[in-house]
Amino acid sequence: MSGVEGYMYPNEVTLYWSVLIVLYPYITGLVAGAFILASLERVFRVDAVKPTYRLALLTALAFLLDAPLPLQLHLGHPERSYEMYFTPHATSAMAMFGYVYLWYLMAVLVFEIWLDYRRDIVLMSQQRKGLMRVVYKMMTLGSNNISERSLHIDEKVGWIVTLIGIPSAFLLHGYVGFIFGSLKSNPWWSSPLMPVVFIFSAMASGIAAVMLIYMAVTKLRKEKIDMRCVDAVAMYMFYIFILDFSLEMLDLVHRIYEADESFRSLDFMVHTKLYFSQIVLQILIGTLIPLILLFLTQVATIGERARKRIYVVCSSLILISVLAMRWNVVIGGQLFSKSFLGYTTYKMALVTREGLLVAIGLTILPLFFLWVLLKLLPPWPKKELQESAAGD
Amino acid sequence: MSGFKDVQHLFRFAGLFVAVILAFLVVRSYVVPKSFGEYGHYRGAAIGEIAAHPIKFAGHQACASCHTDIVETKAKGAHAHVNCEACHGPLATHASDPSAMTPVKLDTLVLCVRCHAASAAKPKGFPQVNPAEHMGGVPCQSCHNPHSPEIRPDTGKSLAAGGAR
């Protein structure tokens, strides 16, 4: 049989979880990571990262809106997916996650963004004309009160929402790791470390994405990049990435030391079918190079220009590394037979519903969502807004 | 009163939230079938609907009531426990009125390899062949009687081979 080496059970030959299922944990990870970065400023009072706060929230929202789309395209009957909400099954992790998603979207992200932007929304509803005025009017929910006290209350409530948002973000992404980690039939996935590894890699990728977006958007706006901010973001990215790498290595060492009945089969897979995506792309290029470069930025005095370039390279490599990690988990877990006697091949289609072009489209789509959100809710208020607020 | 004024917008957001939840519950009451959850996590009325489907399989006894010779042959061979309709397909229409429908004669080149093509997943004692090497395009029933497929050492064929019916 083409693409099959050794013996596979008949239901193992074709991979059912395609590149879109690789994309799904990647995108939710970016959401969780971006939100954690926002919480650094809000809850942990890291003032240096303030210029990224609103951008991080909008990035999280843009990616969260995109997150269910790979799943919808993967479903045989996407038109029935709403039934997950109408007839919830309490013993199904996937079904319950639908509620976690809604909770995170509405009670955390949308509410926090609304609270943070409320002053701007009210001011824009008074200054804008035409359709946009109506849109902003609707977004005020009919309340134009932006008194000092009401904004102070918003600040307090926002703090609480962010505090609730942190475990929610962990739950959102921990679930994805849980889905894989709890599958005891699959030794490549079954590990209690899986949710933790997913969360830390999510944080690293989300922070990397916000940093890249911040640098790109600032450049496009012809503004000066706040180096104090990107230095602080890079520092947190470095620390979290070290933790992520340590946890993944801990998992690896544990597997090697335990060397259960699946080990020879999985070890063979890492040295053959997953060699490029795991050893070369994820570990060597995607992890060690950014770790060394970020380490240098922490210990050596490097010029501003060079630091910016290093941050761009590191963020890009971390994003590639985490995508490769998702690939290795999702695809890798389906390449070997549960008999440990054979291996199959994943042939990615190009233009089918679950093909490469759709995957690329779904990766770019959140950037379009973000563009709309940035137009609607600019993270950097225009001068006239600031002036009119000053006149209040 | 001014104290409330400064938190009024929060109540508005909460109100929107409650309105969405209420709308969800209203839609749910219309969308979820009434019999859902009657016996388990499925639509209870589905059982009755499935039971009302026309019967397609006649069952082994229905075949035996007419095709006694075949059943006797089958009872002596390795296929004794393979039900007729496992190979011949659902034949309730034929069983209720034999003239209404005549079963199609099966192509043994296609049928037999469904079970007997070699695969490492099958038990060692299970008869399995590489179709290209074993028969080279010759229909199975040339040597094996599908109803009792063992080859007799004296004739090199099985009982009444060539007469697959």
Side-chain angles (χ1 to χ4, degrees):
Chain A
M1 200 179 283
S2 94
V4 173
E5 295 163 44
Y7 174 67
M8 297 293 287
Y9 291 119
N11 61 342
E12 294 173 329
V13 174
T14 307
L15 273 72
Y16 294 102
W17 285 9
S18 66
V19 65
L20 294 191
I21 305 300
V22 173
L23 209 56
Y24 169 70
Y26 185 60
I27 291 171
T28 50
L30 293 174
V31 176
F35 185 83
I36 297 295
L37 178 62
S39 69
L40 276 180
E41 196 274 327
R42 195 76 187 240
V43 176
F44 302 105
R45 308 283 179 208
V46 182
D47 273 346
V49 302
K50 196 164 187 164
T52 61
Y53 171 69
R54 284 181 156 188
L55 184 66
L57 283 181
L58 295 182
T59 304
L61 181 59
F63 279 90
L64 193 68
L65 293 172
D66 184 58
L69 299 181
L71 297 184
Q72 293 289 344
L73 284 162
H74 173 74
L75 289 174
H77 280 282
E79 78 281 3
R80 293 184 195 161
S81 59
Y82 73 91
E83 290 179 14
M84 184 176 75
Y85 291 110
F86 286 130
T87 54
H89 203 304
T91 59
S92 160
M94 286 189 183
M96 284 301 104
F97 178 73
Y99 287 97
V100 174
Y101 174 85
L102 272 191
W103 162 264
Y104 191 74
L105 176 69
M106 292 308 297
V108 176
L109 262 186
V110 170
F111 189 37
E112 180 164 343
I113 290 171
W114 184 73
L115 283 174
D116 196 67
Y117 274 96
R118 213 174 59 78
R119 180 182 150 279
D120 293 6
I121 291 170
V122 170
L123 292 175
M124 284 189 282
S125 74
Q126 291 160 356
Q127 292 170 4
R128 294 289 170 91
K129 300 271 179 285
L131 182 67
M132 288 316 289
R133 188 189 182 94
V134 179
V135 172
Y136 287 117
K137 277 265 178 215
M138 284 168 66
M139 285 165 72
T140 62
L141 300 181
S143 168
N144 290 329
N145 184 2
I146 48 170
S147 67
E148 206 168 298
R149 187 165 177 272
S150 74
L151 292 176
H152 181 69
I153 291 169
D154 287 355
E155 179 67 26
K156 289 263 179 210
V157 175
W159 183 83
I160 295 167
V161 172
T162 314
L163 205 60
I164 297 167
I166 296 171
S168 302
F170 274 60
L171 194 63
L172 180 86
H173 202 63
Y175 150 81
V176 183
F178 173 83
I179 281 291
F180 291 103
S182 61
L183 277 178
K184 57 189 168 196
S185 60
N186 189 322
W188 186 245
W189 291 339
S190 177
S191 161
L193 266 180
M194 199 62 102
V196 187
V197 169
F198 262 70
I199 286 168
F200 275 90
S201 56
M203 284 198 272
S205 66
I207 293 173
V210 174
M211 174 130 94
L212 267 186
I213 291 169
Y214 169 72
M215 291 172 91
V217 172
T218 312
K219 194 101 181 153
L220 287 173
R221 291 173 62 236
K222 297 189 175 60
E223 297 276 331
K224 197 174 175 320
I225 290 172
D226 184 338
M227 283 313 287
R228 186 170 157 259
C229 169
V230 284
D231 284 340
V233 173
M235 183 184 73
Y236 284 105
M237 186 166 77
F238 176 53
Y239 293 157
I240 287 169
F241 205 44
I242 288 179
L243 284 173
D244 175 41
F245 185 56
S246 311
L247 284 166
E248 288 198 38
M249 288 305 106
L250 181 65
D251 186 44
L252 188 70
V253 169
H254 182 256
R255 282 168 188 273
I256 294 170
Y257 189 76
E258 189 180 326
D260 67 7
E261 69 275 12
S262 66
F263 182 71
R264 278 181 60 188
S265 176
L266 301 183
D267 187 51
F268 177 79
M269 191 169 69
V270 171
H271 286 92
T272 52
K273 287 183 179 285
L274 291 184
Y275 186 77
F276 178 73
S277 61
Q278 180 136 17
I279 306 289
V280 178
L281 208 56
Q282 186 189 333
I283 298 177
L284 294 178
I285 298 175
T287 306
L288 292 180
I289 293 177
L291 280 181
I292 292 167
L293 288 175
L294 287 171
F295 174 73
L296 288 176
T297 62
Q298 299 300 310
V299 294
T301 312
I302 299 171
E304 195 174 292
R305 205 178 155 84
R307 278 211 314 284
K308 277 188 216 164
R309 287 184 178 166
I310 288 175
Y311 294 155
V312 169
V313 169
C314 289
S315 304
S316 308
L317 288 180
I318 288 173
L319 284 172
I320 292 169
S321 166
V322 175
L323 180 62
M325 181 264 187
R326 309 295 192 240
W327 175 278
N328 294 325
V329 169
V330 177
I331 302 297
Q334 302 172 85
L335 290 180
F336 66 95
S337 169
K338 306 306 174 288
S339 66
F340 307 129
L341 295 173
Y343 305 88
T344 187
T345 308
Y346 174 50
K347 288 183 200 162
M348 184 159 47
L350 188 65
V351 285
T352 56
R353 195 168 66 159
E354 292 193 59
L356 179 64
L357 284 184
V358 170
I360 292 171
L362 288 175
T363 315
I364 297 170
L365 190 61
L367 297 178
F368 170 72
F369 289 157
L370 182 63
W371 177 75
V372 174
L373 287 170
L374 289 176
K375 288 275 168 203
L376 190 67
L377 301 167
W380 306 278
K382 286 186 178 159
K383 278 186 183 131
E384 59 265 32
L385 273 185
Q386 288 170 335
E387 279 160 11
S388 63
D392 284 345
Chain B
M1 211 42 213
S2 68
F4 177 74
K5 203 178 139 205
D6 289 332
V7 292
Q8 195 194 31
H9 59 283
L10 296 177
F11 281 94
R12 284 175 187 262
F13 193 93
L16 184 70
F17 215 75
V18 171
V20 170
I21 292 170
L22 286 176
F24 168 82
L25 291 174
V26 170
V27 174
R28 186 180 184 276
S29 69
Y30 282 102
V31 172
V32 177
K34 292 284 170 279
S35 65
F36 187 86
E38 201 176 333
Y39 307 114
H41 198 77
Y42 58 92
R43 199 163 49 85
I47 294 176
E49 286 168 24
I50 293 164
H53 283 175
I55 290 171
K56 290 184 178 167
F57 285 87
H60 196 60
Q61 286 80 5
C63 307
S65 61
C66 297
H67 303 282
T68 43
D69 54 334
I70 304 286
V71 172
E72 274 170 27
T73 308
K74 204 159 83 71
K76 292 173 195 158
H79 283 170
H81 300 293
V82 179
N83 270 337
C84 307
E85 287 164 301
C87 297
H88 290 281
L91 289 170
T93 320
H94 173 72
S96 59
D97 179 9
S99 63
M101 181 239 184
T102 311
V104 181
K105 190 161 184 179
L106 302 167
D107 180 357
T108 53
L109 273 176
V110 177
L111 178 74
C112 302
V113 293
R114 278 188 203 155
C115 296
H116 294 288
S119 163
K122 287 170 190 164
K124 284 207 173 83
F126 188 83
Q128 39 191 320
V129 296
N130 179 334
E133 283 175 17
H134 183 74
M135 57 231 203
V138 179
C140 305
Q141 82 262 29
S142 305
C143 300
H144 300 271
N145 177 349
H147 294 121
S148 183
E150 295 87 343
I151 300 284
R152 282 170 49 171
D154 53 340
T155 61
K157 292 191 174 190
S158 60
L159 191 70
R165 279 168 282 172

